[in-house]
Amino acid sequence: MGKNSTIEHKGIVSEINENAIFVDLSVQSACAACHAKSVCGIDSAQKTIEVRTDNKSFTIGEKVNVVMRESLGMKALFLGYLLPFIVVITTLMILLSADFSEGFSGLISIIVLVPYYFVLYFFKERIKREFNFDIERI
């Protein structure tokens, strides 16, 4: 993977406002034949992506590519899955080593996710500015 690797998805412009273009993506998973696809949460779906831009030369219904740096995808994976997992496991290990019961330790380990996701929600505008998408014509 190069430093400038990107992730691209084809989509259709659905809305244009003064500082953003909204693109509808039909996301297809790469594991369509996988027997575990119903469990892993990755499936084909319709998603709308907001691309913040001043470029208004696009038209509604136009086919476009939405591009994001691959490193941002890894950062999203870290914030959404890996870091919460680390928080849960660390809390569980600390509580179990402090001789709390397994049930109590497990419950508290899951409850600590509430403040974690609250903090993410509180900083969502800052995070949103960091995750920039680009748009280009097909």
Side-chain angles (χ1 to χ4, degrees):
M1 281 182 235
K3 191 171 185 173
N4 296 325
S5 297
T6 59
I7 301 168
E8 297 183 10
H9 289 287
K10 290 180 174 39
I12 298 174
V13 176
S14 62
E15 182 183 339
I16 300 172
N17 67 24
E18 61 189 43
N19 56 3
I21 296 174
F22 294 87
V23 179
D24 288 337
L25 305 176
S26 181
V27 180
Q28 296 290 328
S29 66
C31 52
C34 178
H35 68 282
K37 69 180 178 182
S38 63
V39 179
C40 75
I42 300 175
D43 202 0
S44 63
Q46 190 74 13
K47 301 199 186 302
T48 301
I49 300 292
E50 177 184 356
V51 181
R52 291 180 310 279
T53 182
D54 294 332
N55 185 353
K56 302 296 178 242
S57 65
F58 295 95
T59 59
I60 294 177
E62 183 176 1
K63 292 183 180 182
V64 294
N65 268 341
V66 176
V67 182
M68 181 179 75
R69 288 191 324 271
E70 194 171 300
S71 61
L72 290 178
M74 293 300 149
K75 189 171 192 172
L77 182 71
F78 178 75
L79 289 174
Y81 293 104
L82 188 59
L83 190 55
F85 176 75
I86 292 169
V87 168
V88 167
I89 295 300
T90 302
T91 305
L92 183 63
M93 292 298 127
I94 290 170
L95 291 174
L96 287 175
S97 67
D99 289 331
F100 286 98
S101 72
E102 291 176 1
F104 179 76
S105 298
L107 181 64
I108 296 302
S109 295
I110 291 172
I111 290 174
V112 297
L113 289 178
V114 172
Y116 173 78
Y117 284 112
F118 180 74
V119 168
L120 277 185
Y121 181 79
F122 182 73
F123 287 108
K124 76 177 181 179
E125 288 303 317
R126 183 175 173 191
I127 293 169
K128 191 177 183 180
R129 284 192 304 268
E130 199 170 319
F131 285 88
N132 292 324
F133 293 96
D134 292 321
I135 188 170
E136 55 189 37
R137 288 188 165 77
I138 295 181

